[in-house]
Amino acid sequence: MDFRLTEEQQMMRDMARRFAEERVKPGAAERDRTHEFPVDLLKECAELGFMGVAIPEEYGGAGMDYISYAIMIEEISRACASTGVILSVNNSLVCDPLLKYGSDYIKKEFLTPLAEGKKLGCFGLTEPNAGSDAANLKTTAKKDGDYYIINGSKIFITNATHADVCLLFAVTDKEKGKHGISAFVVDTKTEGFNIGTVEDKLGINASGTAELYFEDMRVPKENMLGEEGQGYKIALATLDGARVGIAAQGVGLAQAVLDECVRYAKERIQFGRPISSFQAIQWYLADMATNIEAARLLTYKGAACKQNGGRCNKITSMAKVFAAETAMEAARKGVQIFGGYGYMKEYPMERFFRDAKILEIYEGTSEIQRIVIAAQVLSEV
Ligand SMILES: Cc1cc2nc3c(=O)[nH]c(=O)nc-3n(C[C@H](O)[C@H](O)[C@H](O)COP(=O)(O)OP(=O)(O)OC[C@H]3O[C@@H](n4cnc5c(N)ncnc54)[C@H](O)[C@@H]3O)c2cc1C
């Protein structure tokens, strides 16, 4: 087994790290304060191929592998977790399923501009009464000639405030339960597509999370992704793969915590010496570094599994839950290492602490990841 990155992956690491350090990190605290969506930064991301890293060049992507994609998300999230999730949604939750299930029309009209970064995507699955239980959707899509008429609402949708395209899930046949759910690729300028409340959140403040509601929205039948009734399967398969992106976000955020902690611990003097000389602090740093490395390896293994095809839900769930909990625990210890300064907005640690929490919730909570892992483990022996 060779743990070295390929030349292409190394190139992605260098490019993303430089861009993150020079362009993403400087405004991260300000965007957290103002909640401003990073529109201009995303244009620069598009030029670097970050909007569709693993999408083939013929559909506007960078044509790289999933490990390169994970590396990009990791490096960007190390600078700004909000920008990390915006990119993760566009790449994994929108471009990926459009590549896998889209017709030639969908690939040309929607996937290509999304992967090029000329358009931005969002993923509309969650509803007020359908979170972990994603099969319990109430949004309906009724066939009317060559159109479907969509009515209903979605909540907590990342990128919703700025998206041009929404991959949304709606019930086409109530009698069939989860087999009666279908997926639609919708232009957000379609009449009847409305943005509702923009959420005021604990963290990832610049990621444009909002409610969506649909009123007699007419969507052409060719905008259905896959077959009628395939929507739930598409949603679950998409989330299985997308967990690599959120795991990478966790690795990047945890690494940012460690970077800042090492710097601070060497500078902060108490009892006449730097706090980095105290064993308690050294053990915190050692545990953080060890868990980050383990989370990174799980994430890259998940990405490699996705690259090779086949069933990856166990490893991507392991990566997601472990990286999320690593980031949260690192941020908790990070605030502790910074002491009272860690609690102040003047320092980045409290933002890391607030940003880290979401990793244990979205794209499947930690409890749901454990259900997925346990089901696999129990079926293996
Ligand atoms: C900032 C943010 C951004 C988001 N972005 C998007 C997006 O872009 N698109 C989208 O579609 N959704 C998005 N979501 C929704 C997110 O995926 C859901 O919030 C998440 O799946 C959990 O659903 P819920 O909030 O309804 O919690 P619930 O499902 O109500 O869960 C509540 C608690 O019960 C636990 N629980 C539920 N079922 C079980 C079970 N069977 N066994 C054990 N424990 C269980 C959960 O783990 C959790 O602890 C976002 C959410 C947030 C907060």
Side-chain angles (χ1 to χ4, degrees):
M1 196 179 288
D2 185 352
F3 286 96
R4 282 173 302 183
L5 298 180
T6 64
E7 220 171 277
E8 187 179 79
Q9 291 158 357
Q10 188 63 51
M11 190 195 79
M12 172 56 97
R13 164 145 295 161
D14 295 345
M15 178 171 70
R17 188 169 289 176
R18 197 172 335 110
F19 175 72
E21 196 62 31
E22 290 172 6
R23 304 288 306 135
V24 184
K25 194 172 167 184
E30 180 66 3
R31 288 191 296 277
D32 172 60
R33 199 179 61 76
T34 61
H35 300 198
E36 189 185 333
F37 197 81
V39 176
D40 292 336
L41 265 185
L42 293 182
K43 286 185 190 144
E44 295 181 51
C45 287
E47 280 165 27
L48 296 170
F50 292 175
M51 305 308 284
V53 174
I55 301 299
E57 288 175 36
E58 64 173 308
Y59 299 121
M64 297 173 88
D65 64 8
Y66 281 101
I67 293 183
S68 302
Y69 163 61
I71 289 171
M72 183 279 286
I73 296 289
E74 180 187 335
E75 293 298 334
I76 299 297
S77 303
R78 190 172 174 180
C80 172
S82 288
T83 310
V85 72
I86 293 168
L87 294 174
S88 176
V89 166
N90 198 73
N91 277 269
S92 306
L93 288 182
V94 189
C95 287
D96 242 25
L98 265 53
L99 176 69
K100 195 163 170 199
Y101 303 99
S103 59
D104 289 345
Y105 159 75
I106 285 178
K107 286 191 176 114
K108 182 169 173 284
E109 287 300 311
F110 295 99
L111 173 60
T112 303
L114 283 164
E116 287 171 344
K118 290 184 178 144
K119 290 191 171 168
L120 182 71
C122 70
F123 180 83
L125 178 64
T126 304
E127 296 184 0
N129 293 310
S132 302
D133 182 11
N136 190 35
L137 298 186
K138 296 287 174 273
T139 295
T140 56
K142 284 212 174 79
K143 189 100 188 273
D144 179 24
D146 288 342
Y147 288 83
Y148 282 87
I149 315 289
I150 300 185
N151 280 287
S153 67
K154 300 285 170 186
I155 47 161
F156 306 155
I157 307 304
T158 304
N159 292 356
T161 53
H162 287 72
D164 306 286
V165 176
C166 179
L167 172 57
L168 77 84
F169 298 84
V171 177
T172 40
D173 187 343
K174 200 175 155 202
E175 305 306 313
K176 291 189 179 158
K178 63 185 176 190
H179 301 294
I181 294 172
S182 302
F184 297 88
V185 186
V186 178
D187 183 332
T188 60
K189 288 189 201 70
T190 309
E191 209 181 319
F193 186 104
N194 304 296
I195 300 170
T197 310
V198 177
E199 305 296 349
D200 195 5
K201 311 189 290 287
L202 177 69
I204 57 162
N205 283 335
S207 60
T209 317
E211 178 192 9
L212 297 174
Y213 61 98
F214 320 113
E215 292 174 315
D216 292 330
M217 179 171 73
R218 287 172 73 79
V219 176
K221 69 177 185 345
E222 56 269 25
N223 287 33
M224 181 179 280
L225 188 67
E227 308 283 316
E228 190 168 303
Q230 229 190 348
Y232 188 67
K233 196 183 114 194
I234 292 175
L236 291 198
T238 300
L239 287 166
D240 279 349
R243 284 169 188 148
V244 166
I246 301 304
Q249 192 194 13
V251 174
L253 181 50
Q255 185 66 54
V257 170
L258 179 61
D259 296 343
E260 293 296 334
C261 285
V262 168
R263 227 171 272 138
Y264 186 81
K266 286 202 234 172
E267 281 167 12
R268 175 70 176 166
I269 308 290
Q270 289 293 280
F271 299 95
R273 50 191 177 129
I275 62 168
S276 62
S277 67
F278 301 131
Q279 195 180 47
I281 302 294
Q282 289 179 6
W283 284 22
Y284 287 162
L285 297 175
D287 286 348
M288 256 186 226
T290 306
N291 286 332
I292 291 168
E293 201 51 37
R296 183 174 287 123
L297 288 174
L298 271 175
T299 302
Y300 292 0
K301 188 170 180 192
C305 179
K306 200 165 153 42
Q307 186 67 34
N308 298 334
R311 198 139 191 234
C312 302
N313 60 351
K314 185 174 84 172
I315 188 73
T316 58
S317 283
M318 285 174 165
K320 200 260 178 186
V321 67
F322 191 77
E325 293 180 0
T326 293
M328 191 67 237
E329 182 55 15
R332 201 175 74 78
K333 287 275 164 52
V335 172
Q336 198 65 18
I337 290 172
F338 272 62
Y341 298 97
Y343 204 69
M344 300 296 149
K345 294 229 178 248
E346 197 187 335
Y347 289 83
M349 210 44 70
E350 66 84 35
R351 170 164 54 92
F352 295 157
F353 185 82
R354 287 183 289 105
D355 283 352
K357 183 59 205 167
I358 190 56
L359 295 160
E360 297 180 319
I361 299 172
Y362 61 18
E363 295 197 25
T365 63
S366 292
E367 291 77 14
I368 296 299
Q369 305 309 325
R370 287 186 166 88
I371 290 173
V372 173
I373 297 163
Q376 287 289 311
V377 169
L378 288 167
S379 71
E380 282 167 6
V381 182

